[in-house]
Amino acid sequence: MSDCIFCSIVDGEIPSHTVHEDDAVTAFLDANPLARGHTLVIPKAHHERLNDLPADLAADLFAAVHDLTDRVEAAVDAEATTVAVNNGELAGQEVPHVHVHIVPRFEGDGGRPIHALIEERPDVDDDELVDVAAAIESA
Ligand code: AMP
């Protein structure tokens, strides 16, 4: 897509610090990193959300994420990583081209786990868990 910043990176029109490239996927350092080694992994084809990816491209994307997680940790000597997708504008997605964040985590980095995303959790009883699980299973 012509006005997509990540498509421009794929097309070489905008420079990036590329750390991986194959036929379907590329990965580069985040320009405004949350931590040293913060990497973004994207499909080369333009799709806005994870849900929009064809299954084979989703498999390629997550194969690259799987491979890169170890390499990123090794490169910056991180003990762990937070791997996350802001999937949709409401979830905080600013660039509308699917990207997986690999954020290296270090002792005392002040970062939080994914459970810190939402402060007020819903009060859900077991019947509701059953209903929601059935709805997801049959959707
Ligand atoms: P999100 O909020 O999940 O859409 O994250 C978008 C990420 O893209 C942010 O972490 C930005 O720092 C990063 N970003 C935006 N433009 C560039 C760029 N030209 N090169 C590398 N990273 C970028």
Side-chain angles (χ1 to χ4, degrees), residues 5-6 9 14-17 28-34 38 40 84-88 91-97 99-101:
I5 195 163
F6 287 176
I9 287 176
I14 292 181
S16 69
H17 295 281
F28 48 88
L29 296 183
D30 195 297
N32 187 24
L34 292 172
H38 182 170
L40 301 175
V85 178
N86 291 324
N87 194 36
Q93 183 176 1
E94 289 178 359
V95 177
H97 181 134
H99 49 283
V100 180
H101 293 259

PDB file of all heavy atoms in Angstrom, residues 5-6 9 14-17 28-34 38 40 84-88 91-97 99-101, ligand 1:
ATOM      1  N   ILE A   5       3.784   2.995   6.002  1.00  0.00           N
ATOM      2  CA  ILE A   5       5.199   3.162   6.335  1.00  0.00           C
ATOM      3  C   ILE A   5       5.945   1.823   6.313  1.00  0.00           C
ATOM      4  O   ILE A   5       7.106   1.758   5.874  1.00  0.00           O
ATOM      5  CB  ILE A   5       5.341   3.889   7.692  1.00  0.00           C
ATOM      6  CG1 ILE A   5       6.754   4.403   7.878  1.00  0.00           C
ATOM      7  CG2 ILE A   5       4.923   3.047   8.851  1.00  0.00           C
ATOM      8  CD1 ILE A   5       6.867   5.448   8.944  1.00  0.00           C
ATOM      9  N   PHE A   6       5.287   0.741   6.723  1.00  0.00           N
ATOM     10  CA  PHE A   6       5.970  -0.552   6.732  1.00  0.00           C
ATOM     11  C   PHE A   6       6.070  -1.122   5.321  1.00  0.00           C
ATOM     12  O   PHE A   6       7.060  -1.794   4.995  1.00  0.00           O
ATOM     13  CB  PHE A   6       5.289  -1.526   7.693  1.00  0.00           C
ATOM     14  CG  PHE A   6       5.536  -1.212   9.159  1.00  0.00           C
ATOM     15  CD1 PHE A   6       4.917  -1.944  10.166  1.00  0.00           C
ATOM     16  CD2 PHE A   6       6.407  -0.202   9.541  1.00  0.00           C
ATOM     17  CE1 PHE A   6       5.157  -1.663  11.512  1.00  0.00           C
ATOM     18  CE2 PHE A   6       6.655   0.099  10.882  1.00  0.00           C
ATOM     19  CZ  PHE A   6       6.021  -0.638  11.864  1.00  0.00           C
ATOM     20  N   ILE A   9       9.087   0.413   3.964  1.00  0.00           N
ATOM     21  CA  ILE A   9      10.298  -0.270   4.443  1.00  0.00           C
ATOM     22  C   ILE A   9      10.530  -1.527   3.604  1.00  0.00           C
ATOM     23  O   ILE A   9      11.645  -1.788   3.139  1.00  0.00           O
ATOM     24  CB  ILE A   9      10.195  -0.587   5.946  1.00  0.00           C
ATOM     25  CG1 ILE A   9      10.361   0.712   6.747  1.00  0.00           C
ATOM     26  CG2 ILE A   9      11.235  -1.629   6.376  1.00  0.00           C
ATOM     27  CD1 ILE A   9      10.191   0.571   8.250  1.00  0.00           C
ATOM     28  N   ILE A  14      12.146   3.466   2.610  1.00  0.00           N
ATOM     29  CA  ILE A  14      12.498   4.028   3.920  1.00  0.00           C
ATOM     30  C   ILE A  14      13.543   3.094   4.523  1.00  0.00           C
ATOM     31  O   ILE A  14      13.374   1.868   4.485  1.00  0.00           O
ATOM     32  CB  ILE A  14      11.255   4.099   4.838  1.00  0.00           C
ATOM     33  CG1 ILE A  14      10.278   5.144   4.307  1.00  0.00           C
ATOM     34  CG2 ILE A  14      11.638   4.407   6.265  1.00  0.00           C
ATOM     35  CD1 ILE A  14       9.033   5.288   5.157  1.00  0.00           C
ATOM     36  N   PRO A  15      14.642   3.648   5.056  1.00  0.00           N
ATOM     37  CA  PRO A  15      15.675   2.772   5.614  1.00  0.00           C
ATOM     38  C   PRO A  15      15.240   2.097   6.909  1.00  0.00           C
ATOM     39  O   PRO A  15      14.390   2.627   7.640  1.00  0.00           O
ATOM     40  CB  PRO A  15      16.847   3.731   5.871  1.00  0.00           C
ATOM     41  CG  PRO A  15      16.237   5.071   5.971  1.00  0.00           C
ATOM     42  CD  PRO A  15      14.976   5.068   5.159  1.00  0.00           C
ATOM     43  N   SER A  16      15.798   0.931   7.144  1.00  0.00           N
ATOM     44  CA  SER A  16      15.527   0.247   8.414  1.00  0.00           C
ATOM     45  C   SER A  16      16.759  -0.564   8.779  1.00  0.00           C
ATOM     46  O   SER A  16      17.599  -0.853   7.923  1.00  0.00           O
ATOM     47  CB  SER A  16      14.315  -0.681   8.288  1.00  0.00           C
ATOM     48  OG  SER A  16      14.632  -1.775   7.449  1.00  0.00           O
ATOM     49  N   HIS A  17      16.830  -0.926  10.050  1.00  0.00           N
ATOM     50  CA  HIS A  17      17.891  -1.830  10.502  1.00  0.00           C
ATOM     51  C   HIS A  17      17.338  -3.243  10.431  1.00  0.00           C
ATOM     52  O   HIS A  17      16.775  -3.756  11.399  1.00  0.00           O
ATOM     53  CB  HIS A  17      18.344  -1.457  11.916  1.00  0.00           C
ATOM     54  CG  HIS A  17      18.982  -0.099  11.969  1.00  0.00           C
ATOM     55  ND1 HIS A  17      20.280   0.123  11.565  1.00  0.00           N
ATOM     56  CD2 HIS A  17      18.488   1.103  12.341  1.00  0.00           C
ATOM     57  CE1 HIS A  17      20.574   1.402  11.707  1.00  0.00           C
ATOM     58  NE2 HIS A  17      19.503   2.017  12.167  1.00  0.00           N
ATOM     59  N   PHE A  28      12.870  -5.897  11.489  1.00  0.00           N
ATOM     60  CA  PHE A  28      13.804  -4.772  11.631  1.00  0.00           C
ATOM     61  C   PHE A  28      13.674  -4.200  13.034  1.00  0.00           C
ATOM     62  O   PHE A  28      12.686  -4.466  13.748  1.00  0.00           O
ATOM     63  CB  PHE A  28      13.509  -3.698  10.573  1.00  0.00           C
ATOM     64  CG  PHE A  28      12.062  -3.325  10.454  1.00  0.00           C
ATOM     65  CD1 PHE A  28      11.506  -2.325  11.231  1.00  0.00           C
ATOM     66  CD2 PHE A  28      11.229  -4.004   9.561  1.00  0.00           C
ATOM     67  CE1 PHE A  28      10.158  -1.997  11.130  1.00  0.00           C
ATOM     68  CE2 PHE A  28       9.880  -3.686   9.453  1.00  0.00           C
ATOM     69  CZ  PHE A  28       9.342  -2.672  10.231  1.00  0.00           C
ATOM     70  N   LEU A  29      14.659  -3.429  13.419  1.00  0.00           N
ATOM     71  CA  LEU A  29      14.621  -2.830  14.760  1.00  0.00           C
ATOM     72  C   LEU A  29      13.574  -1.734  14.827  1.00  0.00           C
ATOM     73  O   LEU A  29      13.407  -0.954  13.875  1.00  0.00           O
ATOM     74  CB  LEU A  29      15.994  -2.249  15.117  1.00  0.00           C
ATOM     75  CG  LEU A  29      17.143  -3.243  15.244  1.00  0.00           C
ATOM     76  CD1 LEU A  29      18.421  -2.508  15.665  1.00  0.00           C
ATOM     77  CD2 LEU A  29      16.819  -4.354  16.249  1.00  0.00           C
ATOM     78  N   ASP A  30      12.846  -1.693  15.944  1.00  0.00           N
ATOM     79  CA  ASP A  30      11.888  -0.609  16.179  1.00  0.00           C
ATOM     80  C   ASP A  30      12.668   0.707  16.297  1.00  0.00           C
ATOM     81  O   ASP A  30      13.693   0.780  16.989  1.00  0.00           O
ATOM     82  CB  ASP A  30      11.098  -0.885  17.457  1.00  0.00           C
ATOM     83  CG  ASP A  30       9.865  -0.011  17.581  1.00  0.00           C
ATOM     84  OD1 ASP A  30      10.020   1.233  17.666  1.00  0.00           O
ATOM     85  OD2 ASP A  30       8.757  -0.550  17.595  1.00  0.00           O
ATOM     86  N   ALA A  31      12.170   1.744  15.602  1.00  0.00           N
ATOM     87  CA  ALA A  31      12.867   3.030  15.579  1.00  0.00           C
ATOM     88  C   ALA A  31      12.756   3.766  16.921  1.00  0.00           C
ATOM     89  O   ALA A  31      13.526   4.684  17.192  1.00  0.00           O
ATOM     90  CB  ALA A  31      12.298   3.904  14.454  1.00  0.00           C
ATOM     91  N   ASN A  32      11.795   3.359  17.731  1.00  0.00           N
ATOM     92  CA  ASN A  32      11.582   4.003  19.035  1.00  0.00           C
ATOM     93  C   ASN A  32      11.495   2.896  20.085  1.00  0.00           C
ATOM     94  O   ASN A  32      10.441   2.640  20.660  1.00  0.00           O
ATOM     95  CB  ASN A  32      10.287   4.818  18.967  1.00  0.00           C
ATOM     96  CG  ASN A  32      10.056   5.650  20.210  1.00  0.00           C
ATOM     97  OD1 ASN A  32      11.000   5.990  20.927  1.00  0.00           O
ATOM     98  ND2 ASN A  32       8.811   5.951  20.486  1.00  0.00           N
ATOM     99  N   PRO A  33      12.624   2.215  20.328  1.00  0.00           N
ATOM    100  CA  PRO A  33      12.576   0.946  21.076  1.00  0.00           C
ATOM    101  C   PRO A  33      12.199   1.086  22.548  1.00  0.00           C
ATOM    102  O   PRO A  33      12.591   2.042  23.209  1.00  0.00           O
ATOM    103  CB  PRO A  33      14.017   0.422  20.941  1.00  0.00           C
ATOM    104  CG  PRO A  33      14.852   1.637  20.688  1.00  0.00           C
ATOM    105  CD  PRO A  33      13.977   2.593  19.913  1.00  0.00           C
ATOM    106  N   LEU A  34      11.448   0.083  23.027  1.00  0.00           N
ATOM    107  CA  LEU A  34      11.142  -0.006  24.457  1.00  0.00           C
ATOM    108  C   LEU A  34      12.328  -0.583  25.217  1.00  0.00           C
ATOM    109  O   LEU A  34      12.420  -0.448  26.440  1.00  0.00           O
ATOM    110  CB  LEU A  34       9.926  -0.911  24.674  1.00  0.00           C
ATOM    111  CG  LEU A  34       8.593  -0.373  24.163  1.00  0.00           C
ATOM    112  CD1 LEU A  34       7.528  -1.448  24.265  1.00  0.00           C
ATOM    113  CD2 LEU A  34       8.188   0.865  24.951  1.00  0.00           C
ATOM    114  N   HIS A  38      14.662  -4.234  20.613  1.00  0.00           N
ATOM    115  CA  HIS A  38      13.210  -4.282  20.293  1.00  0.00           C
ATOM    116  C   HIS A  38      13.059  -4.418  18.776  1.00  0.00           C
ATOM    117  O   HIS A  38      13.491  -3.571  18.003  1.00  0.00           O
ATOM    118  CB  HIS A  38      12.571  -2.993  20.803  1.00  0.00           C
ATOM    119  CG  HIS A  38      11.087  -2.892  20.591  1.00  0.00           C
ATOM    120  ND1 HIS A  38      10.343  -1.907  21.174  1.00  0.00           N
ATOM    121  CD2 HIS A  38      10.198  -3.635  19.854  1.00  0.00           C
ATOM    122  CE1 HIS A  38       9.066  -2.035  20.827  1.00  0.00           C
ATOM    123  NE2 HIS A  38       8.959  -3.075  20.011  1.00  0.00           N
ATOM    124  N   LEU A  40      10.641  -5.625  15.306  1.00  0.00           N
ATOM    125  CA  LEU A  40       9.305  -5.784  14.713  1.00  0.00           C
ATOM    126  C   LEU A  40       9.396  -6.802  13.585  1.00  0.00           C
ATOM    127  O   LEU A  40      10.290  -6.714  12.738  1.00  0.00           O
ATOM    128  CB  LEU A  40       8.807  -4.447  14.156  1.00  0.00           C
ATOM    129  CG  LEU A  40       8.702  -3.295  15.158  1.00  0.00           C
ATOM    130  CD1 LEU A  40       8.308  -2.003  14.434  1.00  0.00           C
ATOM    131  CD2 LEU A  40       7.699  -3.607  16.261  1.00  0.00           C
ATOM    132  N   ALA A  84       4.388  -9.555  21.477  1.00  0.00           N
ATOM    133  CA  ALA A  84       3.025  -9.027  21.527  1.00  0.00           C
ATOM    134  C   ALA A  84       2.599  -8.388  20.214  1.00  0.00           C
ATOM    135  O   ALA A  84       3.428  -7.910  19.441  1.00  0.00           O
ATOM    136  CB  ALA A  84       2.915  -7.998  22.643  1.00  0.00           C
ATOM    137  N   VAL A  85       1.279  -8.380  20.009  1.00  0.00           N
ATOM    138  CA  VAL A  85       0.681  -7.718  18.844  1.00  0.00           C
ATOM    139  C   VAL A  85      -0.394  -6.759  19.350  1.00  0.00           C
ATOM    140  O   VAL A  85      -1.294  -7.185  20.084  1.00  0.00           O
ATOM    141  CB  VAL A  85       0.020  -8.742  17.894  1.00  0.00           C
ATOM    142  CG1 VAL A  85      -0.650  -8.037  16.719  1.00  0.00           C
ATOM    143  CG2 VAL A  85       1.033  -9.760  17.395  1.00  0.00           C
ATOM    144  N   ASN A  86      -0.283  -5.488  18.998  1.00  0.00           N
ATOM    145  CA  ASN A  86      -1.396  -4.569  19.195  1.00  0.00           C
ATOM    146  C   ASN A  86      -2.305  -4.776  17.986  1.00  0.00           C
ATOM    147  O   ASN A  86      -1.996  -4.298  16.888  1.00  0.00           O
ATOM    148  CB  ASN A  86      -0.903  -3.121  19.281  1.00  0.00           C
ATOM    149  CG  ASN A  86      -0.110  -2.853  20.548  1.00  0.00           C
ATOM    150  OD1 ASN A  86      -0.411  -3.389  21.600  1.00  0.00           O
ATOM    151  ND2 ASN A  86       0.922  -2.027  20.440  1.00  0.00           N
ATOM    152  N   ASN A  87      -3.374  -5.517  18.171  1.00  0.00           N
ATOM    153  CA  ASN A  87      -4.174  -5.999  17.036  1.00  0.00           C
ATOM    154  C   ASN A  87      -5.435  -5.160  16.886  1.00  0.00           C
ATOM    155  O   ASN A  87      -6.491  -5.514  17.394  1.00  0.00           O
ATOM    156  CB  ASN A  87      -4.512  -7.484  17.258  1.00  0.00           C
ATOM    157  CG  ASN A  87      -5.033  -8.140  15.995  1.00  0.00           C
ATOM    158  OD1 ASN A  87      -4.586  -7.838  14.894  1.00  0.00           O
ATOM    159  ND2 ASN A  87      -5.992  -9.029  16.143  1.00  0.00           N
ATOM    160  N   GLY A  88      -5.316  -4.029  16.164  1.00  0.00           N
ATOM    161  CA  GLY A  88      -6.439  -3.111  15.982  1.00  0.00           C
ATOM    162  C   GLY A  88      -6.203  -1.816  16.735  1.00  0.00           C
ATOM    163  O   GLY A  88      -5.507  -1.784  17.754  1.00  0.00           O
ATOM    164  N   ALA A  91      -6.734  -1.453  20.406  1.00  0.00           N
ATOM    165  CA  ALA A  91      -5.733  -2.150  21.218  1.00  0.00           C
ATOM    166  C   ALA A  91      -4.394  -1.412  21.202  1.00  0.00           C
ATOM    167  O   ALA A  91      -3.404  -1.914  21.744  1.00  0.00           O
ATOM    168  CB  ALA A  91      -5.566  -3.579  20.714  1.00  0.00           C
ATOM    169  N   GLY A  92      -4.358  -0.251  20.550  1.00  0.00           N
ATOM    170  CA  GLY A  92      -3.130   0.536  20.551  1.00  0.00           C
ATOM    171  C   GLY A  92      -2.299   0.416  19.298  1.00  0.00           C
ATOM    172  O   GLY A  92      -1.166   0.907  19.247  1.00  0.00           O
ATOM    173  N   GLN A  93      -2.843  -0.232  18.268  1.00  0.00           N
ATOM    174  CA  GLN A  93      -2.084  -0.373  17.021  1.00  0.00           C
ATOM    175  C   GLN A  93      -2.016   0.980  16.308  1.00  0.00           C
ATOM    176  O   GLN A  93      -3.038   1.563  15.960  1.00  0.00           O
ATOM    177  CB  GLN A  93      -2.749  -1.408  16.101  1.00  0.00           C
ATOM    178  CG  GLN A  93      -1.959  -1.653  14.813  1.00  0.00           C
ATOM    179  CD  GLN A  93      -2.577  -2.748  13.943  1.00  0.00           C
ATOM    180  OE1 GLN A  93      -3.606  -3.328  14.286  1.00  0.00           O
ATOM    181  NE2 GLN A  93      -1.951  -3.027  12.827  1.00  0.00           N
ATOM    182  N   GLU A  94      -0.795   1.460  16.119  1.00  0.00           N
ATOM    183  CA  GLU A  94      -0.613   2.768  15.471  1.00  0.00           C
ATOM    184  C   GLU A  94      -0.279   2.615  14.001  1.00  0.00           C
ATOM    185  O   GLU A  94      -0.643   3.461  13.186  1.00  0.00           O
ATOM    186  CB  GLU A  94       0.483   3.558  16.192  1.00  0.00           C
ATOM    187  CG  GLU A  94       0.025   4.041  17.562  1.00  0.00           C
ATOM    188  CD  GLU A  94       1.095   4.780  18.326  1.00  0.00           C
ATOM    189  OE1 GLU A  94       2.234   4.914  17.815  1.00  0.00           O
ATOM    190  OE2 GLU A  94       0.795   5.202  19.460  1.00  0.00           O
ATOM    191  N   VAL A  95       0.451   1.573  13.658  1.00  0.00           N
ATOM    192  CA  VAL A  95       0.795   1.345  12.247  1.00  0.00           C
ATOM    193  C   VAL A  95      -0.109   0.222  11.725  1.00  0.00           C
ATOM    194  O   VAL A  95      -0.024  -0.919  12.200  1.00  0.00           O
ATOM    195  CB  VAL A  95       2.284   0.957  12.088  1.00  0.00           C
ATOM    196  CG1 VAL A  95       2.596   0.662  10.623  1.00  0.00           C
ATOM    197  CG2 VAL A  95       3.187   2.069  12.610  1.00  0.00           C
ATOM    198  N   PRO A  96      -0.992   0.536  10.763  1.00  0.00           N
ATOM    199  CA  PRO A  96      -1.984  -0.450  10.326  1.00  0.00           C
ATOM    200  C   PRO A  96      -1.434  -1.462   9.328  1.00  0.00           C
ATOM    201  O   PRO A  96      -1.960  -1.624   8.219  1.00  0.00           O
ATOM    202  CB  PRO A  96      -3.101   0.418   9.722  1.00  0.00           C
ATOM    203  CG  PRO A  96      -2.412   1.646   9.251  1.00  0.00           C
ATOM    204  CD  PRO A  96      -1.226   1.865  10.148  1.00  0.00           C
ATOM    205  N   HIS A  97      -0.356  -2.090   9.685  1.00  0.00           N
ATOM    206  CA  HIS A  97       0.260  -3.185   8.918  1.00  0.00           C
ATOM    207  C   HIS A  97       0.717  -4.173   9.986  1.00  0.00           C
ATOM    208  O   HIS A  97       1.535  -3.797  10.851  1.00  0.00           O
ATOM    209  CB  HIS A  97       1.428  -2.631   8.090  1.00  0.00           C
ATOM    210  CG  HIS A  97       2.146  -3.633   7.224  1.00  0.00           C
ATOM    211  ND1 HIS A  97       2.469  -3.379   5.887  1.00  0.00           N
ATOM    212  CD2 HIS A  97       2.641  -4.867   7.489  1.00  0.00           C
ATOM    213  CE1 HIS A  97       3.102  -4.430   5.387  1.00  0.00           C
ATOM    214  NE2 HIS A  97       3.230  -5.345   6.336  1.00  0.00           N
ATOM    215  N   HIS A  99       2.217  -6.325  12.707  1.00  0.00           N
ATOM    216  CA  HIS A  99       3.599  -6.449  13.173  1.00  0.00           C
ATOM    217  C   HIS A  99       3.619  -7.077  14.546  1.00  0.00           C
ATOM    218  O   HIS A  99       2.775  -6.777  15.392  1.00  0.00           O
ATOM    219  CB  HIS A  99       4.325  -5.098  13.181  1.00  0.00           C
ATOM    220  CG  HIS A  99       3.568  -3.995  13.857  1.00  0.00           C
ATOM    221  ND1 HIS A  99       2.503  -3.340  13.267  1.00  0.00           N
ATOM    222  CD2 HIS A  99       3.713  -3.440  15.087  1.00  0.00           C
ATOM    223  CE1 HIS A  99       2.041  -2.431  14.099  1.00  0.00           C
ATOM    224  NE2 HIS A  99       2.755  -2.467  15.221  1.00  0.00           N
ATOM    225  N   VAL A 100       4.583  -7.937  14.751  1.00  0.00           N
ATOM    226  CA  VAL A 100       4.767  -8.587  16.047  1.00  0.00           C
ATOM    227  C   VAL A 100       5.965  -7.924  16.728  1.00  0.00           C
ATOM    228  O   VAL A 100       7.051  -7.845  16.145  1.00  0.00           O
ATOM    229  CB  VAL A 100       5.023 -10.102  15.885  1.00  0.00           C
ATOM    230  CG1 VAL A 100       5.209 -10.769  17.253  1.00  0.00           C
ATOM    231  CG2 VAL A 100       3.879 -10.767  15.112  1.00  0.00           C
ATOM    232  N   HIS A 101       5.721  -7.423  17.936  1.00  0.00           N
ATOM    233  CA  HIS A 101       6.814  -6.830  18.710  1.00  0.00           C
ATOM    234  C   HIS A 101       7.558  -7.943  19.460  1.00  0.00           C
ATOM    235  O   HIS A 101       6.930  -8.771  20.127  1.00  0.00           O
ATOM    236  CB  HIS A 101       6.269  -5.883  19.786  1.00  0.00           C
ATOM    237  CG  HIS A 101       5.595  -4.646  19.277  1.00  0.00           C
ATOM    238  ND1 HIS A 101       6.221  -3.417  19.256  1.00  0.00           N
ATOM    239  CD2 HIS A 101       4.347  -4.434  18.792  1.00  0.00           C
ATOM    240  CE1 HIS A 101       5.385  -2.498  18.793  1.00  0.00           C
ATOM    241  NE2 HIS A 101       4.235  -3.093  18.502  1.00  0.00           N
TER     242      HIS A 101
HETATM  243  P1  AMP B   1       2.098  -0.252  17.234  1.00  0.00           P
HETATM  244  O1  AMP B   1       1.695   0.758  18.255  1.00  0.00           O
HETATM  245  O2  AMP B   1       1.960  -1.656  17.716  1.00  0.00           O
HETATM  246  O3  AMP B   1       1.416  -0.006  15.915  1.00  0.00           O
HETATM  247  O4  AMP B   1       3.657  -0.063  17.036  1.00  0.00           O
HETATM  248  C1  AMP B   1       4.230   0.593  15.944  1.00  0.00           C
HETATM  249  C2  AMP B   1       5.711   0.602  16.180  1.00  0.00           C
HETATM  250  O5  AMP B   1       6.341   0.963  14.972  1.00  0.00           O
HETATM  251  C3  AMP B   1       6.176   1.606  17.239  1.00  0.00           C
HETATM  252  O6  AMP B   1       6.855   0.902  18.265  1.00  0.00           O
HETATM  253  C4  AMP B   1       7.102   2.541  16.471  1.00  0.00           C
HETATM  254  O7  AMP B   1       8.221   2.935  17.231  1.00  0.00           O
HETATM  255  C5  AMP B   1       7.504   1.694  15.281  1.00  0.00           C
HETATM  256  N1  AMP B   1       7.863   2.421  14.071  1.00  0.00           N
HETATM  257  C6  AMP B   1       7.162   3.394  13.464  1.00  0.00           C
HETATM  258  N2  AMP B   1       7.793   3.812  12.357  1.00  0.00           N
HETATM  259  C7  AMP B   1       8.930   3.065  12.259  1.00  0.00           C
HETATM  260  C8  AMP B   1      10.012   3.011  11.323  1.00  0.00           C
HETATM  261  N3  AMP B   1      10.063   3.808  10.244  1.00  0.00           N
HETATM  262  N4  AMP B   1      11.008   2.116  11.542  1.00  0.00           N
HETATM  263  C9  AMP B   1      10.966   1.295  12.627  1.00  0.00           C
HETATM  264  N5  AMP B   1       9.973   1.303  13.526  1.00  0.00           N
HETATM  265  C10 AMP B   1       8.971   2.181  13.352  1.00  0.00           C
END
